[in-house]
Amino acid sequence: MVGLAYAVFDTAIGRCGIIWSSTGVVAVQLPEAREIDTRRRIFQVHPEAREQPAPLNTELAIEGIVGLLQGSDPDFSYVSLDAGGVPAFNRRVYEYTCTIPRGETRTYHEIAKALGASGAAHSVAQAISKNPYMIIVPCHRVLEAGGYADRISPYGGVISKRRLLALEGAHPIASKTLFEVLLPVAPSRSPS
């Protein structure tokens, strides 16, 4: 196989996509509201990818993703990933993220500390936000301080971390209030 290929497949939450190379899985796209939007997202990020039948490594990844989204606890350790374009720090973050057990979460700060880079919580957040291997690398198990579960990578589609964690039985899941979201962007009041 030369270049990239992709396939779209059914899951309990909608039609997902997976992109691969001869080296391994390049990215997983969780479903958008419509299949055409999922395909559009794949083409935006990987315009050179062509739809093809999935090879064994990719089939194993698909089976695991389908299983996890139905509530099982698949083992993705046998799935080869193509990390050619992934920065070294991000790879370290993803490797650590894969050790977080199902139903548990960690914060960006906890991962930075575990990696020996305690001041790098922002860098961990950036790596998690760019995770191309949705579900295979369970970035939904990594939360902001306070347990907020709202952000997900660009490959996340319309699915939230909160929903993915609920599928795994992780509790409690916090969400920011409207006040917490608007306070940082509220205009300052002029002194009276």
Side-chain angles (χ1 to χ4, degrees):
M1 180 185 110
V2 177
L4 298 180
Y6 79 94
V8 177
F9 58 97
D10 290 318
T11 72
I13 62 170
R15 305 253 312 146
C16 292
I18 190 165
I19 301 94
W20 68 89
S21 70
S22 58
T23 308
V25 173
V26 172
V28 174
Q29 176 64 53
L30 293 182
E32 296 289 342
R34 302 173 308 161
E35 180 181 339
I36 189 73
D37 296 327
T38 302
R39 289 175 180 274
R40 186 174 293 124
R41 179 71 66 102
I42 290 169
F43 286 125
Q44 285 174 345
V45 181
H46 303 285
E48 71 282 11
R50 298 296 172 251
E51 192 164 14
Q52 294 183 11
L56 180 60
N57 179 65
T58 304
E59 276 297 327
L60 294 172
I62 290 170
E63 288 173 15
I65 293 165
V66 168
L68 186 137
L69 295 174
Q70 290 176 333
S72 69
D73 187 13
D75 177 11
F76 289 108
S77 62
Y78 51 81
V79 175
S80 297
L81 303 176
D82 180 341
V86 178
F89 181 79
N90 293 22
R91 283 195 299 262
R92 288 181 57 214
V93 170
Y94 302 156
E95 288 168 8
Y96 182 85
T97 301
C98 288
T99 68
I100 302 170
R102 175 186 172 86
E104 294 184 24
T105 62
R106 302 289 185 275
T107 64
Y108 301 136
H109 176 73
E110 288 171 325
I111 291 180
K113 188 175 178 181
L115 295 176
S118 60
H122 180 74
S123 297
V124 169
Q126 290 298 308
I128 291 296
S129 74
K130 294 176 181 157
N131 173 22
Y133 315 111
M134 298 297 302
I135 307 295
I136 297 171
V137 173
C139 64
H140 57 279
R141 296 177 188 160
V142 184
L143 309 176
E144 293 180 51
Y148 298 122
D150 296 326
R151 292 185 187 165
I152 200 155
S153 112
Y155 293 97
V158 296
I159 306 305
S160 69
K161 282 187 178 188
R162 188 178 314 109
R163 183 164 178 202
L164 291 171
L165 288 168
L167 285 169
E168 295 186 348
H171 299 287
I173 308 297
S175 183
K176 289 185 180 180
T177 65
L178 183 59
F179 180 76
E180 291 170 310
V181 171
L182 294 178
L183 184 60
V185 295
S188 58
R189 294 177 76 182
S190 60
S192 312

